Amino acid sequence: MAPGPRRRYDPERRQRIIDAAVRVVGAQGIAGLSHRSAAAEAGVPLGSTTYHFKTLDDLLVAALHQADQAFAEAVAASPALADPQADLARALARTLGECFAADRGRMELEYELYLAALRRPALRPVAAQWCESVAAALAPRTDPVTARALVAVMDGIGLQVLLTGTEYDEAYACEILGRVLGPA
């Protein structure tokens, strides 16, 4: 009996599927994501998506994790976190504004995946991990409770901007974040 076809080694395939899932959600929303749509977008056989991601929730978890990394990394990389003399409220407001200016569609995607955790319990640990990682990045400049409050305020401001279709107001964000931080 002749051996069957050899499986092609493709170490980037899993990542391409995640990238494709992010693009599908960005274009069609979560309702448009399926193993089939991700496979088509990634240019891989359908079996590849189910091999790497047994369930659609597994694929959504990977997509949410990837989408959330950008903002958490931007906050962690902020020079204001290392400088105790820097105005933290202003730096956070600027970072949030830079994220909106760079790609509002990306912010919509991140929030859509983030809010999907309301109905998909498998996504909740990733959403919680994002909140914890941003709060941990802020903790050296403030106490842990205030750091969590800052994350909640940035979330709320971001969500309001996206839901109302208004422009991001950096001065407003700075004012509100400053009130959470209290007097300097």
Side-chain angles (χ1 to χ4, degrees):
M1 180 176 204
R6 287 189 171 209
R7 182 175 278 176
R8 199 176 110 214
Y9 179 66
D10 186 356
E12 284 85 36
R13 184 172 289 193
R14 183 179 191 281
Q15 185 59 51
R16 285 199 325 271
I17 294 168
I18 295 168
D19 294 341
V22 168
R23 288 191 303 273
V24 169
V25 172
Q28 302 173 30
I30 288 176
L33 182 64
S34 65
H35 279 98
R36 188 173 305 283
S37 64
E41 180 68 24
V44 300
L46 177 60
S48 291
T49 62
T50 57
Y51 172 80
H52 290 288
F53 304 98
K54 300 295 182 220
T55 68
L56 193 56
D57 278 353
D58 292 340
L59 182 54
L60 281 168
V61 164
L64 176 59
H65 182 72
Q66 179 169 304
D68 281 351
Q69 282 181 314
F71 184 73
E73 289 171 1
V75 170
S78 173
L81 292 179
D83 179 3
Q85 302 305 314
D87 183 341
L88 183 58
R90 185 167 313 288
L92 293 174
R94 184 179 321 112
T95 299
L96 191 55
E98 288 168 354
C99 289
F100 273 106
D103 191 350
R104 187 179 181 111
R106 180 70 178 199
M107 293 290 284
E108 290 171 359
L109 165 73
E110 290 174 19
Y111 272 98
E112 182 169 2
L113 288 166
Y114 182 63
L115 291 173
L118 291 171
R119 300 271 185 210
R120 293 179 178 263
L123 297 177
R124 290 178 187 159
V126 180
Q129 178 186 14
W130 176 84
C131 292
E132 291 165 10
S133 67
V134 175
L138 297 173
R141 285 292 312 274
T142 187
D143 63 275
V145 172
T146 303
R148 287 179 56 206
L150 291 168
V151 172
V153 168
M154 288 186 293
D155 260 352
I157 290 171
L159 190 56
Q160 286 179 359
V161 167
L162 292 172
L163 291 176
T164 61
T166 58
E167 290 298 314
Y168 174 73
D169 184 344
E170 188 172 315
Y172 168 77
C174 184
E175 172 71 22
I176 299 304
L177 291 165
R179 289 182 186 193
V180 171
L181 285 164

